[in-house]
């Protein structure tokens, strides 16, 4: 039914995939689905999702909801093995608008729930760990930011951290919490872009028992309750769903909220730090971000410069990560000064996060006792050395390659990267193949 090449791609995915036809009958299940749920594909293939639910294999069906509503749907689901999973169903339409398939993406959220429970019982230990962390910087611009962050830390003002992805916004948020009177209380962080809209509200504000299908009988506290007395860090706040922004605004104004399905307001004492790489002023014009929420969040804005604008920090960060990953991977490699020079010429579109990831890779893959130029990715060595003989076409191709590399590094999948830069996924895949690009 599906091309062999497509099946190979679906089988290689880390996320679980289940595909049903327009009648709700299972036609494909990949290995990751079996691994995550513990349910063999034989129990699902050839059966309608109504049968699967009736047999108790799953608690409810996102496929049926998608067939009914004709749009993407995300729900929690409990499977017969006892696991709790997050399920997103997406409809696939023909050119004529006929619904052909429902493709379901499955992720295990049991581990996430356990993490939050562990966070509640180990607040003191978590706070101690965070107080031991420090900001690695020698540049004047970053030291000004560190000074400002420590000064702001003594107040309860909301702080908005601005800057490119990977520039160190979370590190500064940690620093503010560590130097505040709340330092002994929890520091709870969540990435608003990493969690589906239908799931984000319950993670932030919790839910009462029985408030929706698959909910725990005794309910679950949200991050604001877990962080009571401490700090909540909302990363990528620009991606928060518009309808959820009003609820966050109420927390900032009145320090109270309702759990999903709840009727009693819950009071909390929290400090909110948010961060974004987006232009919130533009999002306000586009009516995708509330102006009143922006003014509440933007009491103290702190702009964090990208790594390429503070090149003095590159060597100290490189050596810091070298030491960290030598210890972590039980290695003992050094680094050639020439490599540091190349680092300082590179643009670091992924900022400190990109540098950290590269240093870990180099520590693991270095061929000798020193990291040398030969160990670096070819794209990095070529980045500032495009031969003139390539001509205009060569320059344009190199620029296109770097653009695609950045999009792939930023969005971690070809599908999302293609969507964000406004081209077809098939075009992105073809160009990625041309330039030898892969998802790291």
């Amino acid at each position: 039914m599906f091309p062999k090449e497509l099946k190979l791609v679906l089988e290689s995915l880390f996320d679980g995939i289940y595909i049903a036809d327009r009648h709700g009958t299972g036609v494909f299940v990949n290995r990751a689905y079996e691994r995550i749920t513990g349910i063999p594909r034989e129990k699902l293939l050839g059966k309608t999702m109504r049968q699967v639910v009736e047999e108790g294999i799953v608690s409810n069906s996102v496929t049926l909801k998608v067939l009914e509503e004709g749009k993407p749907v995300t729900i929690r689901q409990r499977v017969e093995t006892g696991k709790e999973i997050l399920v997103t169903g997406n409809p696939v339409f023909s050119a004529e608008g006929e619904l052909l398939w429902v493709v379901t993406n499955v992720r295990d959220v049991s581990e996430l729930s356990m993490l939050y429970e562990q966070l509640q019982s180990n607040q003191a230990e978590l706070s101690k760990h965070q107080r031991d962390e420090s900001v690695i910087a020698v540049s004047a611009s970053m030291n000004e930011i560190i000074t400002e962050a420590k000064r702001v830390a003594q107040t309860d003002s909301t702080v908005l951290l601005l800057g490119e992805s990977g520039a160190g916004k979370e590190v500064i948020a940690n620093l503010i919490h560590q130097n505040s009177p709340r330092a002994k209380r929890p520091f709870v962080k969540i990435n608003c872009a990493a969690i589906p809209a239908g799931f984000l509200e319950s993670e932030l504000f919790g839910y009462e028992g029985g408030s929706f299908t698959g909910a725990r009988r005794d309910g679950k506290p949200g991050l604001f309750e877990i962080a009571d007395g401490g700090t909540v860090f909302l990363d990528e706040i620009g991606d928060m769903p518009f309808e959820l922004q009003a609820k966050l605004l109420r927390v900032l104004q009145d320090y109270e909220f309702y759990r999903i399905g709840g009727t009693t307001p819950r009071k909390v004492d929290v400090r909110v730090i948010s961060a974004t790489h987006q232009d919130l002023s533009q999002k306000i014009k586009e009516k995708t971000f509330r102006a009143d929420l922006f003014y509440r969040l933007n009491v103290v804005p702190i702009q964090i410069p990208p790594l390429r604008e503070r090149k003095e920090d590159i060597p100290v960060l490189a050596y810091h990560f070298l030491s960290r990953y030598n210890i972590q991977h039980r290695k003992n490699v050094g680094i050639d000064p020439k490599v540091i020079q190349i680092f300082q010429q590179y643009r670091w579109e992924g900022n400190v996060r990109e540098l950290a990831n590269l240093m870990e890779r180099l520590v693991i893959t270095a061929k000798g006792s020193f990291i040398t130029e030969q160990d670096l990715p070819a794209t990095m060595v070529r980045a500032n050395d495009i031969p003139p003989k390539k001509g205009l076409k060569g320059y344009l191709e190199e620029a296109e390659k770097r653009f695609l590399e950045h999009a792939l590094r930023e969005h971690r999948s070809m599908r999302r990267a293609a969507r964000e830069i406004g081209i077809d996924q098939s075009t992105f895949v073809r160009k990625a193949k041309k330039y030898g690009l892969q998802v790291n």
Side-chain angles (χ1 to χ4, degrees), residues 114-125:
M114 288 168 57
L115 179 63
Y116 291 155
E117 291 168 2
Q118 183 182 6
L119 179 61
Q120 286 180 280
S121 61
N122 294 288
Q123 290 173 351
E125 182 178 340

Side-chain angles (χ1 to χ4, degrees), residues 370-436:
F370 273 82
I371 297 168
T372 67
E373 184 175 350
Q374 285 68 44
D375 295 308
L376 297 178
T379 51
M380 174 171 282
V381 178
R382 293 198 308 265
N384 295 285
D385 185 25
I386 304 172
K389 65 180 182 180
K390 282 189 173 182
L392 179 59
K393 181 180 179 182
Y395 276 92
L396 292 176
E397 287 184 343
E398 193 70 28
E400 182 181 63
K401 180 179 179 180
R402 291 185 200 174
F403 180 61
L404 296 177
E405 270 185 324
H406 174 65
L408 196 55
R409 185 168 53 240
E410 186 78 8
H411 301 290
R412 305 297 177 89
S413 90
M414 291 192 183
R415 178 180 60 79
R416 287 196 296 270
R419 184 183 64 221
E420 290 298 322
I421 66 177
I423 66 175
D424 293 337
Q425 183 179 352
S426 59
T427 303
F428 192 105
V429 172
R430 176 171 53 78
K431 289 180 178 293
K433 185 176 180 180
K434 172 184 176 182
Y435 297 124

Side-chain angles (χ1 to χ4, degrees), residues 43-328:
K43 283 195 170 187
L44 301 168
L45 296 177
K47 294 181 180 178
T48 67
M49 280 309 300
R50 292 191 189 282
Q51 289 176 279
V52 174
V53 173
E54 289 170 0
E55 292 175 14
I57 297 173
V58 299
S59 60
N60 52 344
S61 169
V62 76
T63 298
L64 297 179
K65 291 181 180 294
V66 173
L67 290 173
E68 182 181 320
E69 300 179 21
K71 64 181 182 180
V73 177
T74 298
I75 64 171
R76 283 175 180 253
Q77 189 182 77
R78 191 170 291 278
V79 298
E80 64 178 3
T81 56
K83 281 198 171 185
E84 187 180 10
I85 56 178
L86 183 68
V87 186
T88 299
N90 284 284
V92 177
F93 296 95
S94 68
E96 293 74 31
E98 180 186 7
L99 197 156
L100 300 176
W101 316 98
V102 177
V103 178
T104 299
N105 175 281
V106 175
R107 290 178 180 169
D108 186 356
V109 295
S110 301
E111 184 178 342
L112 187 63
S113 299
M114 288 168 57
L115 179 63
Y116 291 155
E117 291 168 2
Q118 183 182 6
L119 179 61
Q120 286 180 280
S121 61
N122 294 288
Q123 290 173 351
E125 182 178 340
L126 183 64
S127 296
K128 177 180 182 299
H129 170 69
Q130 288 163 343
R131 285 199 301 274
D132 290 339
E133 293 183 353
S134 57
V135 182
I136 309 298
V138 295
S139 63
S141 59
M142 278 304 291
N143 276 293
E144 286 178 12
I145 287 170
I146 292 168
T147 300
E148 183 178 4
K150 288 181 176 180
R151 184 167 58 245
V152 171
Q154 302 308 310
T155 73
D156 265 344
S157 297
T158 55
V159 178
L160 178 61
L161 303 175
L162 304 165
E164 295 179 4
S165 293
K169 298 187 288 294
E170 183 177 329
V171 173
I172 298 301
N174 264 309
L175 181 70
I176 293 172
H177 176 72
Q178 292 164 19
N179 288 273
S180 76
R182 298 174 179 269
K184 293 182 180 180
R185 300 298 295 163
F187 177 83
V188 178
K189 54 194 175 186
I190 189 167
N191 187 320
C192 299
I195 297 179
F199 186 40
L200 184 58
E201 182 176 2
S202 69
E203 292 307 307
L204 288 174
F205 304 114
Y207 59 81
E208 298 293 353
S211 56
F212 54 85
T213 304
R216 293 182 185 178
R217 190 175 303 171
D218 55 348
K220 186 176 85 70
L223 294 186
F224 275 94
E225 287 179 75
I226 294 172
D228 194 20
T231 303
V232 171
F233 176 48
L234 301 173
D235 199 6
E236 301 299 353
I237 188 69
D239 289 295
M240 176 171 282
F242 190 81
E243 62 274 10
L244 193 53
Q245 293 172 25
K247 198 163 187 178
L248 174 60
L249 181 62
R250 178 171 184 175
V251 176
L252 295 174
Q253 289 175 331
D254 304 325
Y255 297 98
E256 70 175 26
F257 62 91
Y258 291 87
R259 284 185 178 184
I260 294 176
T263 57
T264 305
R266 293 176 179 267
K267 286 279 187 180
V268 287
D269 171 23
V270 294
R271 193 236 188 102
V272 174
I273 302 173
S274 56
T276 183
H277 70 280
Q278 301 185 58
D279 182 349
L280 295 185
S281 298
Q282 181 61 34
K283 290 182 73 70
I284 290 171
K285 292 177 184 175
E286 296 168 354
K287 301 190 183 306
T288 57
F289 201 87
R290 295 179 62 115
D292 48 5
L293 176 59
F294 171 72
Y295 298 132
R296 280 284 179 177
L297 295 172
N298 197 41
V299 175
V300 181
I302 298 179
Q303 180 79 44
I304 301 173
L307 187 56
R308 60 184 171 275
E309 291 181 10
R310 45 187 174 103
K311 293 188 175 181
E312 313 95 295
D313 291 336
I314 292 174
V316 292
L317 284 166
Y319 282 108
H320 167 72
F321 292 129
L322 178 69
S323 174
R324 174 195 289 182
Y325 294 124
N326 265 325
I327 294 170
Q328 181 176 325

